[in-house]
Every structure is written in structure tokens, then in C-alpha cells.
């Protein structure tokens, strides 16, 4: 793969020499050969010129779900990685919510083999417990050796506090990262949306922020006792931000993420009873959105994720109470973040997180592997079904005005431009 990017504005805040400079970038056989003001295209080199072309290091998403194996009608690994690449992501962490769940080393090998040779690289998470049943720990060490980057019972509460304690203690032997979903099911009960004025008005059962914050507080106490590395995915409440900020001040090894949609939408969007807005954790009040955005800006919240969850129409086009939770988000992630934040902050959020999962960090230097995302940060548009590349179409962003379009990626010796 030989490519010459012409007049690309580089967005790389960590590289002061190149940040916000327009440069030509020559890539030969997947390696950055030259970066210069005006480079001539050698023979057998594809020249790429785009309107308002910007380039950054490749983007990373810490929470992506597909369907294969078991739910291929929702999304295959091949089409999922194609969608991720066209959405600007060069690396994605794959959630363990398939059928069967990946709870052995052979399952991890299967997922890595299915994603091998693609422009977007897949990094699978292994199930924390066997069959994600929350009873016995899965083969954590073997899965780590096979390539699992963390361990997680996807969107399921670790109900047994001793299980979390043992997992944190055991994973320290091989520097493993444990995920714990922030939700107490006993407090959640049969709730489907955020508990508050909107849920009361709509007559829908509520999930109080207490259900999340109680679990977060418990997990942080266990982490303080046991040690280890803990990641709390997709927090949604102001109280959770405060609890995690206090834990970090204590020096605990904890990170957390929030979903783009929990920053962008509040529970007021539920007034239309559109099941695409049913997610877990739920969309919360505007005050929570503000607290989450503040937490992102001050670094309390480590990563922002698309929390991409494809679901077939049979699980979404039903009564709100009966619909499954989840929204796709890869295709809209950049446009939504770029609408909320300045472009430099947006790129910072989209490129951070790899180190937590021990994934190689790309570099913007000559001689390094080319790992780039190409985009136009100024283009505004209304997100429509035609913008969705996923097999499933359950996006809450349909009809929303967004800012920023992705051209594609260059990574792993390939491009999809």
C-alpha cells in the first residue's frame, strides 16, 4: 500500500512540531516514509486529495459489540470491522456478548482469527465468569495468553462481592484488567428508564441513579481492599463521577468510560417512546449530562465510547418495556463528539485508551507504522438511515444534526478510502 496524502491538516496535540500544520504525508508499504510541505508522488503511489482534509492518529473505541458467533443477523465481525473502519476507528475492543460467550482461550483465538488482516484491528474481551453466569471465574489466565485484553460479564452486575474480590486478586498475577458493570439489579428492579420527572410523566418504571452509584461505591471499596486493576464501563450519573474522582485521589488503579449518547441525550428524548433510546445504563437527567461532560474535560472519565450494540428489528420494534437495551453508535460517534467538543478535545478523546488495554500506541513520526484517520471536522449534516453501514439500524441519532464527516482510515497496511 503506497499512498500520498496531499495538504492534510494534522491534528495531533502530543506532537507540537506537526500539530495543526498542513503537510503532505507519503506512506510506503504501510510505513510513514516522509512528512513534508510539498512532496512529489513517486510512481505506483495513490494520491489522496479531499476537501478540508484533516488527519489524526487512528481512533480507538473501548466498547464495541457485534453478533458473531450466534447473532450474525445483527452483525458479523467482517461487516462490523468494515463499519468501524469507515467510521474512523483503527482499533476496537470487542465485548463478550455473543452466543456462546468467549470464556475460553479457543474462543479468543477464534475472534482474533476472524478479525485478522482487516484495516481495523480487533481486541477481544473475555468473559469474567463461565458463560457470564456470575458464579465461577472463567479461564482468565489462558484467555489473557490467547490475546484477551480484559475480562467482563457484559452489562451484567457482579452480584457476589467476593467474586469481584477474588477476580481482582487473581488477575494481579498477570496484570489483568477486570471490568465491572455499574448496576445493582435489586435497586434497578423492573426499571427501564431513568427514575425522575420524565419516567413519572410517561408512566415508565424508573431506574434510580442509586442503582449505579451503590454498585460503583461497593466496587471501589473492594478495589481498595484487594488491589488490582478495575475498569467501570459506561457510567451515567453525576454521583458516579464524584465517587470515581474521590477514588482516583486515593491512588486506586481505576478507570471508567461513558457512552457518547449519555453525553449527547438526556431522558427528555424519551417522550416519543422511541425504543432506540432505550439503553443500559439509561439516559439520565440534563444535570447528569453536564456532570459527565465536566468529568470528561477534567479527566475523571478516562474514555468516551460509542457503546455500539447492534440489535435486529424484532428486538427494537416492540413496546418500550419489552425492547432490548442498546443503540449502534460507531457511525455517529465522531459527529456527536465533534458537536459537543472542540476538534482538539474530540481527537484527544478518540485516540486515548489503548494503554489501559496494553495495545500498541501509534506514532506520528517517519519510520513508524501508518495508523491514521482521515476526516473533515467542519461538514454538518443530518444523520440518516443511509449513513448507517451496520447490518442493524437501531440508532438513536437518526434525524440528529451532527458536525464532522469521516473519510476513512489507513492502518495495518491497508486503506478504505
Amino acid at each position: 500500500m503506497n499512498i500520498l496524502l496531499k495538504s492534510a491538516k494534522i491534528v495531533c496535540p502530543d506532537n507540537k512540531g506537526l500539530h495543526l500544520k498542513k503537510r503532505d504525508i507519503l506512506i510506503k508499504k504501510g510505513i510513514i516514509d516522509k512528512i513534508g510541505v510539498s512532496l512529489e508522488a513517486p510512481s505506483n503511489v495513490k494520491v489522496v486529495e479531499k476537501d478540508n482534509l484533516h488527519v489524526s492518529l487512528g481512533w480507538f473505541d473501548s466498547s464495541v459489540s457485534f453478533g458473531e458467533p450466534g447473532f450474525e443477523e445483527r452483525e458479523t465481525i467482517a461487516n462490523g470491522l468494515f463499519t468501524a473502519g469507515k467510521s474512523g476507528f483503527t482499533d476496537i475492543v470487542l465485548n463478550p456478548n455473543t452466543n456462546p460467550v468467549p470464556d475460553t482461550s479457543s474462543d479468543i483465538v477464534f475472534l482474533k482469527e476472524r478479525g485478522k488482516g482487516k484495516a481495523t484491528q480487533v481486541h477481544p474481551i473475555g468473559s469474567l465468569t463461565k458463560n457470564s453466569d456470575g458464579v465461577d471465574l472463567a479461564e482468565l489466565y489462558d484467555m489473557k495468553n490467547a490475546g484477551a485484553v480484559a475480562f467482563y460479564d457484559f452489562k451484567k452486575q457482579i452480584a457476589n462481592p467476593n467474586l469481584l474480590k477474588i477476580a481482582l486478586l487473581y488477575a494481579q498475577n498477570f496484570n489483568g484488567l477486570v471490568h465491572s458493570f455499574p448496576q445493582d439489579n435489586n435497586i434497578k428492579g423492573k426499571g427501564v428508564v431513568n427514575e425522575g420527572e420524565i419516567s413519572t410523566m410517561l408512566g415508565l418504571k424508573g431506574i434510580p441513579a442509586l442503582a449505579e452509584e451503590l454498585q460503583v461505591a461497593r466496587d471501589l471499596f473492594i478495589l481498595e481492599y484487594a488491589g488490582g486493576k478495575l475498569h467501570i464501563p459506561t457510567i451515567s450519573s453525576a454521583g458516579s463521577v464524584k465517587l470515581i474522582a474521590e477514588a482516583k485521589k486515593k491512588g486506586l488503579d481505576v478507570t471508567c468510560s461513558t457512552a457518547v449518547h449519555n453525553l449527547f441525550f438526556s431522558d427528555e428524548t424519551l417522550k416519543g417512546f422511541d425504543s432506540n433510546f432505550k439503553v443500559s445504563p439509561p439516559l439520565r437527567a440534563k444535570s447528569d449530562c453536564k456532570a459527565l461532560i465536566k468529568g470528561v474535560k477534567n479527566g475523571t472519565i478516562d474514555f468516551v465510547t460509542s457503546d455500539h450494540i447492534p440489535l435486529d428489528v424484532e428486538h427494537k420494534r416492540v413496546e418500550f418495556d419489552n425492547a432490548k437495551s442498546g443503540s449502534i453508535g460507531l457511525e455517529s460517534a465522531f459527529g456527536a463528539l465533534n458537536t459537543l467538543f472542540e476538534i482538539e478535545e474530540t481527537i484527544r478523546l478518540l485516540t486515548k485508551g489503548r494503554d489501559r488495554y496494553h495495545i500498541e500506541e501509534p506514532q506520528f513520526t517517519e519510520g513508524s507504522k501508518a495508523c491514521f484517520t482521515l476526516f473533515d471536522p467542519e461538514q454538518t449534516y443530518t444523520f440518516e438511515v443511509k449513513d448507517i453501514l451496520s447490518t442493524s439500524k437501531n440508532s438513536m441519532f437518526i434525524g440528529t444534526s451532527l458536525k464532522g464527516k469521516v473519510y476513512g482510515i489507513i492502518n495495518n497496511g491497508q486503506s478504505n478510502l
Side-chain angles (χ1 to χ4, degrees):
M1 180 195 70
N2 300 320
I3 292 176
L4 177 62
L5 304 179
K6 295 292 291 182
S7 298
K9 190 170 186 177
I10 296 170
V11 184
C12 187
D14 292 336
N15 190 324
K16 301 302 180 185
L18 292 175
H19 183 48
L20 300 182
K21 303 283 177 41
K22 273 195 174 183
R23 294 289 185 268
D24 291 356
I25 303 169
L26 178 62
I27 300 161
K28 288 185 176 180
K29 296 181 179 178
I31 303 297
I32 304 170
D33 186 68
K34 290 181 182 177
I35 302 173
V37 176
S38 182
L39 301 179
E40 293 295 323
S43 58
N44 299 320
V45 169
K46 177 183 177 181
V47 177
V48 175
E49 297 180 273
K50 302 279 187 182
D51 292 337
N52 197 29
L53 177 60
H54 286 59
V55 61
S56 74
L57 293 173
W59 300 346
F60 170 77
D61 194 333
S62 63
S63 180
V64 173
S65 301
F66 296 146
E68 187 180 357
F71 304 112
E72 287 84 355
E73 72 280 3
R74 299 177 186 176
E75 191 69 276
T76 62
I77 291 173
N79 192 66
L81 292 176
F82 169 78
T83 300
K86 295 299 285 186
S87 302
F89 295 94
T90 56
D91 293 272
I92 61 105
V93 171
L94 186 64
N95 288 315
N97 58 332
T98 51
N99 185 24
V101 298
D103 59 4
T104 68
S105 57
S106 59
D107 295 327
I108 299 300
V109 170
F110 167 80
L111 293 171
K112 289 185 71 70
E113 283 296 316
R114 294 293 286 169
K116 198 171 182 179
K118 308 293 185 185
T120 297
Q121 294 175 284
V122 62
H123 308 279
I125 295 180
S127 177
L128 182 68
T129 62
K130 293 178 182 177
N131 201 36
S132 288
D133 285 337
V135 179
D136 299 310
L137 287 181
E139 301 174 3
L140 306 190
Y141 180 68
D142 289 346
M143 286 193 288
K144 170 81 171 180
N145 288 339
V149 294
F151 310 102
Y152 181 24
D153 288 349
F154 181 70
K155 301 285 186 184
K156 292 183 177 182
Q157 174 199 13
I158 302 176
N160 181 352
N162 192 52
L163 184 69
L164 177 61
K165 183 198 76 174
I166 292 170
L168 287 168
L169 288 168
Y170 177 54
Q172 289 176 54
N173 293 305
F174 48 89
N175 202 25
L177 177 63
V178 175
H179 284 44
S180 179
F181 183 59
Q183 181 172 275
D184 185 309
N185 290 336
N186 291 316
I187 301 292
K188 171 185 179 284
K190 296 181 179 179
V192 292
V193 298
N194 179 53
E195 182 179 86
E197 183 181 334
I198 301 297
S199 65
T200 302
M201 183 178 72
L202 298 178
L204 294 171
K205 292 183 176 68
I207 305 172
L210 177 66
E212 175 171 309
E213 292 156 12
L214 197 63
Q215 190 79 4
V216 170
R218 187 208 75 170
D219 290 353
L220 292 173
F221 271 117
I222 295 171
L223 177 66
E224 187 171 10
Y225 174 82
K229 295 167 59 177
L230 179 67
H231 179 68
I232 303 175
T234 60
I235 66 169
S236 66
S237 79
S240 294
V241 177
K242 185 177 179 182
L243 287 165
I244 292 166
E246 291 170 352
K248 288 186 172 186
K249 286 179 183 176
K250 290 181 180 178
L252 300 186
D253 193 351
V254 60
T255 52
C256 67
S257 67
T258 193
V260 175
H261 50 251
N262 282 103
L263 300 174
F264 201 93
F265 294 112
S266 73
D267 58 0
E268 291 191 5
T269 59
L270 299 170
K271 292 175 181 177
F273 290 94
D274 184 346
S275 62
N276 283 331
F277 290 95
K278 185 179 180 183
V279 287
S280 179
L283 301 176
R284 299 217 182 261
K286 283 186 175 180
S287 58
D288 292 297
C289 296
K290 290 178 181 177
L292 291 171
I293 290 172
K294 184 178 178 181
V296 167
K297 288 182 175 179
N298 66 26
T300 300
I301 297 174
D302 300 272
F303 325 131
V304 177
T305 173
S306 69
D307 203 28
H308 178 85
I309 304 175
L311 293 169
D312 47 84
V313 67
E314 287 82 1
H315 286 100
K316 276 296 186 180
R317 198 172 293 170
V318 293
E319 296 85 353
F320 197 96
D321 279 350
N322 296 327
K324 287 184 75 71
S325 296
S327 172
I328 58 171
L330 284 170
E331 298 96 322
S332 53
F334 172 59
L337 279 176
N338 195 43
T339 302
L340 292 172
F341 302 99
E342 296 296 325
I343 185 60
E344 291 178 59
E345 177 73 3
T346 297
I347 297 305
R348 184 184 71 82
L349 293 172
L350 287 168
T351 52
K352 70 183 299 196
R354 288 179 174 88
D355 58 334
R356 188 59 167 171
Y357 295 89
H358 299 287
I359 296 168
E360 182 184 359
E361 295 271 7
Q363 302 295 322
F364 220 125
T365 56
E366 293 179 358
S368 298
K369 185 184 84 166
C371 177
F372 295 145
T373 300
L374 282 63
F375 57 96
D376 174 4
E378 301 300 329
Q379 190 176 155
T380 58
Y381 67 106
T382 299
F383 188 79
E384 303 289 356
V385 174
K386 64 180 176 60
D387 297 306
I388 297 175
L389 301 172
S390 302
T391 303
S392 297
K393 310 300 178 186
N394 56 306
S395 171
M396 68 172 72
F397 283 92
I398 295 171
T400 303
S401 179
L402 301 178
K403 180 185 177 185
K405 277 276 193 178
V406 177
Y407 288 127
I409 63 172
I410 298 170
N411 186 44
N412 207 22
Q414 301 178 54
S415 77
N416 64 4
L417 303 171

